[in-house]
Amino acid sequence: LVREGTCVLNLPSADLVSEVDRLALTTGSSPVPVYKRRMRFRHVRDKFREAGLTPVPSDLVAPPRAAECPVQLEGEVVNVHAIGAPEDCAASIEIRIVRTHVHESILKPGHRHHIDPDTWRPLIMSFLEFYGLGRPVHPSRLAEVF
């Protein structure tokens, strides 16, 4: 992100959990940084192949998108904010989204810019565990406006 200044955020659905989990403990860095070696990370050059996903060209940035992910966001790095000491290797990265791709299968019928929350089931990681979405809790008054 820092070197190239662009990225793609591929948002997987819950049914892609196995593909996403295949990337656990992998890094594109070679050699593998010491702190990652201690955690048993290994270098993987082609993460698309490792995960079993299909790379497709992006429109406005160099990195490819994952065809299987229902939402793909092309972005440009705006700011990098270091967190903690340099040896912590942690940062908060601000991205400007420049292009959004959404599979038609998760769009709300009759609304070309609205994702249907009854159709898309995003994969969520919470405290190192994978989750999907459950049933709606309460309707939003904001939805009435749209």
Side-chain angles (χ1 to χ4, degrees):
L1 287 169
V2 174
R3 184 184 66 240
E4 301 298 328
T6 62
C7 65
V8 173
L9 305 174
N10 291 293
L11 306 183
S13 55
D15 63 329
L16 293 172
V17 66
S18 294
E19 288 83 345
V20 172
D21 199 42
R22 285 185 201 123
L23 297 175
L25 300 176
T26 67
T27 179
S29 298
S30 179
V32 176
V34 172
Y35 76 97
K36 286 188 176 183
R37 267 199 321 259
R38 288 185 189 130
M39 294 184 287
R40 297 189 330 264
F41 274 66
R42 62 188 171 83
H43 169 70
V44 171
R45 182 172 173 79
D46 188 344
K47 289 192 178 186
F48 283 98
R49 181 181 307 234
E50 182 77 13
L53 297 171
T54 310
V56 294
S58 295
D59 292 342
L60 302 175
V61 299
R65 302 177 286 127
E68 293 81 1
C69 291
V71 178
Q72 306 140 9
L73 308 171
E74 297 183 31
E76 298 172 345
V77 175
V78 174
N79 277 307
V80 178
H81 307 278
I83 298 173
E87 62 271 14
D88 293 337
C89 300
S92 170
I93 302 175
E94 183 181 347
I95 305 293
R96 175 186 307 110
I97 302 304
V98 294
R99 176 68 43 95
T100 301
H101 304 269
V102 178
H103 288 189
E104 286 191 27
S105 64
I106 65 168
L107 290 176
K108 199 167 202 169
H111 299 270
R112 65 182 204 128
H113 296 297
H114 294 210
I115 293 175
D116 184 349
D118 292 325
T119 305
W120 186 37
R121 293 289 176 242
L123 180 62
I124 299 166
M125 181 174 265
S126 179
F127 297 101
L128 302 177
E129 296 290 337
F130 290 115
Y131 291 89
L133 292 179
R135 296 180 170 264
V137 177
H138 187 279
S140 166
R141 289 183 292 128
L142 183 60
E144 297 170 9
V145 176
F146 293 97

